[in-house]
Amino acid sequence: MIIDFHTHIFPPEWCARREPYLDCDRWFCTLYSDPQARMATAEDLIGTMDRAGVDKAVAFGFAWADEGLCREHNAYVLDAVRRYQGRLVGFAVAQPLTGHQAIADVEWCLDRGLRGVGELMPDGQGYTWDDDDVQVFVQSIAQRGVPLLTHSNEGPGHTYPGKGNVGPAMLHRLAQRYPNLTLVSAHWGGGLAFYELMPEVRAACANVYYDTAASVYLYDDAVYRVAEQCAPGKALWGSDYPLVRPERYLKRIRALGLAPDVEAALLGGTAARLLRLEETADV
Ligand SMILES: [Zn+2]
C-alpha cells in the first residue's frame, strides 16, 4: 500500500481567491504570496494520487495563526475525508496558543473521523514547542494517543519561505517531555533522524517518526539509506503535495534499489501501522 503522509488541501474558493488570506496571515503570505506557489483542492489531490498510483494520503489544511480559520479549514478536510472515504486520512490544524479552545476543536474533529493533528507550524503561529503556553495542548494530544505532525527544519543550509526555527534540539526536548506522544517530525525532523545515532537521543525518540516532505529540495537521495541506518523503520514517505508532485518522488525512491522491505515500510507500511489502518475498515 502506498501512503503519502504529507499533503495540503484547501477549499476551492480559497484556491480561486487567496488574496484575503494573504492579508490576514503573515506565514500564509510568506508561503503563498507568490502566484506560482500552488494550492490544491481535495479533487486535485485525488486526481494526482490516481495518476501516481497512491492508495491513500494524509491530508491537512494550513496551520493558521487564527483558530477560527483553523476550524473552517478542518471542516473542509472533514468533508473531503467523507467524500473520499478510503483514500484520505484527515489531520486537524489548530492554534495551540488558544489552549482549551484548540483542544476542544481538535477533539471535535477527532470524534468525527480525523486521525491526527498537523502540520502545525510554530514559527508561523507564534510559539515554540518549549513554551509553557502550548503544553496543555500537547499533553491533550499525547493523552488522546493520536499523532502530532509538526513542521521541522534544518539549521544549516539554504533558506526558503517558511523554513522557521523548529530544529532537532527543540524536537528532542519535546520528545523527552512527552515520551508517549507519537510525534511525526516533518522534513526528516530537521536532521533529528540522524542524531538517533546517539543512544540517549534514540531512547528519547522511541515514538518519533520522520516524514520525507520536500526532501527533493533539501537532501541528496542518499538520505534514504542514511536515515534507515540512523533511525530504522521510522521514515514515512510524504510528498508535501502540491509543492512536490508524488510521481516525481516515487520514481526517484524506486530507482534507489532499497531493500524491498525497507521500501515497502517507507512508502506505506509504517504509515499504515501508525495510523492503525488495519484496525478500522473505513479508511
Ligand atoms: Zn513543513
Side-chain angles (χ1 to χ4, degrees):
M1 190 191 302
I2 308 295
I3 302 175
D4 186 339
F5 211 92
H6 192 129
T7 69
H8 296 271
I9 55 172
F10 288 84
E13 315 82 71
W14 301 11
C15 295
R17 200 165 164 273
R18 66 178 77 177
E19 291 76 16
Y21 303 95
L22 297 174
D23 291 339
C24 71
D25 191 287
R26 180 182 60 91
W27 209 246
F28 181 74
C29 187
T30 302
L31 282 155
Y32 292 97
S33 60
D34 179 353
Q36 303 290 318
R38 284 190 292 264
M39 292 170 70
T41 63
E43 283 63 39
D44 296 329
L45 171 60
I46 294 288
T48 299
M49 288 164 65
D50 288 343
R51 283 189 294 278
V54 174
D55 298 299
K56 296 176 196 293
V58 175
F60 35 78
F62 180 83
W64 303 94
D66 177 69
E67 180 62 16
L69 276 176
C70 289
R71 206 179 301 137
E72 264 188 73
H73 212 152
N74 292 337
Y76 175 71
V77 171
L78 195 52
D79 178 63
V81 165
R82 284 177 180 158
R83 283 186 291 125
Y84 295 106
Q85 221 155 65
R87 303 299 303 281
L88 301 183
V89 178
F91 277 19
V93 289
Q95 166 54 287
L97 290 176
T98 65
H100 291 286
Q101 182 62 61
I103 293 169
D105 289 344
V106 165
E107 290 288 335
W108 190 89
C109 292
L110 297 175
D111 290 344
R112 282 159 185 78
L114 297 195
R115 311 284 295 249
V117 177
E119 177 192 16
L120 299 192
M121 300 194 179
D123 294 283
Q125 297 183 297
Y127 56 87
T128 77
W129 290 123
D130 293 321
D131 292 353
D132 290 343
D133 292 352
V134 304
Q135 301 311 320
V136 62
F137 177 79
V138 180
Q139 201 169 11
S140 80
I141 299 172
Q143 277 167 358
R144 180 84 187 217
V146 295
L148 168 64
L149 193 159
T150 176
H151 175 77
S152 323
N153 66 277
E154 328 67 48
H158 65 279
T159 55
Y160 47 86
K163 183 168 180 175
N165 286 297
V166 189
M170 189 196 295
L171 295 164
H172 176 229
R173 288 192 293 274
L174 181 62
Q176 280 179 306
R177 221 174 292 134
Y178 301 99
N180 296 324
L181 173 70
T182 302
L183 182 66
V184 179
S185 197
H187 320 293
W188 297 112
L192 181 59
F194 316 117
Y195 285 103
E196 285 210 23
L197 287 175
M198 298 171 74
E200 75 272 31
V201 176
R202 178 174 288 186
C205 293
N207 286 314
V208 180
Y209 294 81
Y210 305 97
D211 86 29
T212 71
S215 190
V216 287
Y217 289 136
L218 301 170
Y219 291 90
D220 190 283
D221 281 349
V223 72
Y224 296 97
R225 282 182 201 283
V226 174
E228 185 56 26
Q229 283 196 320
C230 300
K234 298 176 96 183
L236 303 161
W237 172 64
S239 64
D240 218 351
Y241 174 84
L243 180 72
V244 185
R245 300 222 168 259
E247 50 271 48
R248 177 182 169 195
Y249 241 118
L250 287 173
K251 210 172 149 194
R252 278 173 69 157
I253 290 174
R254 285 174 171 142
L256 295 174
L258 298 172
D261 59 325
V262 171
E263 185 181 300
L266 168 69
L267 295 183
T270 304
R273 185 166 48 79
L274 207 64
L275 297 165
R276 300 191 181 118
L277 294 186
E278 71 286 355
E279 294 166 26
T280 44
D282 60 320
V283 286

